Amino acid sequence: MTRTVWDSSVGKKTVMAVSGLIMLMYLVVHMLGNLKIFFGSGEFNHYAHWLRTLGEPFLHYEWALWIIRVVLVVAVVAHATAAYQLSRRDIRARPNKYVHKKPRSSYATRTMRWGGIILGLFIVWHILDLTTGTAHPGGFQPGHPYQNVIDTFSTWYGDVIYIVAMLALGLHIRHGFWSAAQTLGAGSRTRDRALKIIADVLALVLTVGFISVPVGVMTGLVS
């Protein structure tokens, strides 16, 4: 039964919708946590420490954080796999290019595939930079996320990578949220306008919220 659902286009779209909404909820919380950096190092570092003690004493140190990470990894892999397989299926179904040269879809729709690749590469870089410290500029300091963030956004390439990725994220959310709503049956003729407005607002708020951190470092507001 599970295999049959997964093999169908509807099943893959449903997996994409559910996994996308899981990642969207995480992004909202993650952005709010990131904004704590504007309240100083003490507040930001305390928040990072709290994430590791979440659920204690019922859960051991960092267990809740690892549960969140595992759920996110599963969501990302499921989302990317379903997207890739749907893309390949779409290409096989329409081997010839459209006769019409003028694009009829929105810019966000046309860039969903490239945006997904950009975001996938960004996730790898982001983990190596601020989680493991492998690709971190300067000396990575475990337990001092405030200083680590400043180190990253004190480099021109750190700013460029992050801002480009967040712009891609905004476009991805703008189309993805509305598409997920349609897949899960939330869309209708009367609700489509409201869903598109919500998608636009979510994309704008998340993009501005995330980009405000490197901008804060670049302008000296965060130092």
Side-chain angles (χ1 to χ4, degrees):
M1 178 64 180
T2 303
R3 180 71 184 183
T4 303
V5 172
W6 172 253
D7 286 340
S8 68
S9 294
V10 173
K12 293 182 190 300
K13 288 179 180 179
T14 301
V15 168
M16 283 192 69
V18 174
S19 59
L21 291 175
I22 290 173
M23 290 185 285
L24 179 60
M25 289 188 289
Y26 167 78
L27 286 170
V28 172
V29 176
H30 188 43
M31 181 203 68
L32 293 173
N34 281 3
L35 294 178
K36 284 183 174 290
I37 201 167
F38 291 101
F39 295 93
S41 61
E43 184 80 12
F44 192 70
N45 289 340
H46 177 70
Y47 165 69
H49 176 71
W50 173 80
L51 286 175
R52 287 158 174 75
T53 59
L54 186 65
E56 289 186 344
F58 179 73
L59 297 175
H60 289 290
Y61 183 75
E62 286 194 341
W63 274 24
L65 189 58
W66 275 105
I67 290 172
I68 294 171
R69 286 169 175 167
V70 170
V71 171
L72 282 173
V73 168
V74 172
V76 169
V77 171
H79 195 81
T81 302
Y84 174 76
Q85 293 183 357
L86 282 171
S87 177
R88 298 301 301 172
R89 184 171 293 181
D90 184 54
I91 292 172
R92 287 196 299 269
R94 293 178 293 183
N96 297 319
K97 293 184 177 180
Y98 292 111
V99 175
H100 300 286
K101 296 297 182 181
K102 185 178 180 181
R104 296 181 176 180
S105 56
S106 69
Y107 183 77
T109 303
R110 299 196 308 272
T111 56
M112 282 294 282
R113 290 171 186 170
W114 281 109
I117 293 172
I118 290 172
L119 290 172
L121 294 173
F122 168 75
I123 290 172
V124 174
W125 174 80
H126 196 51
I127 291 173
L128 293 176
D129 177 28
L130 293 175
T131 300
T132 66
T134 308
H136 187 72
F140 181 76
Q141 302 179 49
H144 295 83
Y146 184 88
Q147 187 59 49
N148 292 333
V149 169
I150 290 177
D151 289 344
T152 293
F153 296 134
S154 293
T155 62
W156 68 266
Y157 61 85
D159 295 325
V160 170
I161 292 172
Y162 195 86
I163 291 173
V164 169
M166 292 307 101
L167 291 174
L169 175 67
L171 291 173
H172 212 76
I173 291 172
R174 183 173 179 268
H175 174 73
F177 178 83
W178 183 83
S179 180
Q182 303 304 309
T183 298
L184 297 176
S188 69
R189 184 174 299 179
T190 57
R191 289 195 291 263
D192 274 0
R193 180 176 174 79
L195 288 170
K196 288 181 179 179
I197 292 174
I198 293 172
D200 289 343
V201 171
L202 275 171
L204 180 62
V205 170
L206 285 168
T207 302
V208 173
F210 280 119
I211 289 179
S212 68
V213 177
V215 171
V217 176
M218 283 189 287
T219 58
L221 186 60
V222 177
S223 61

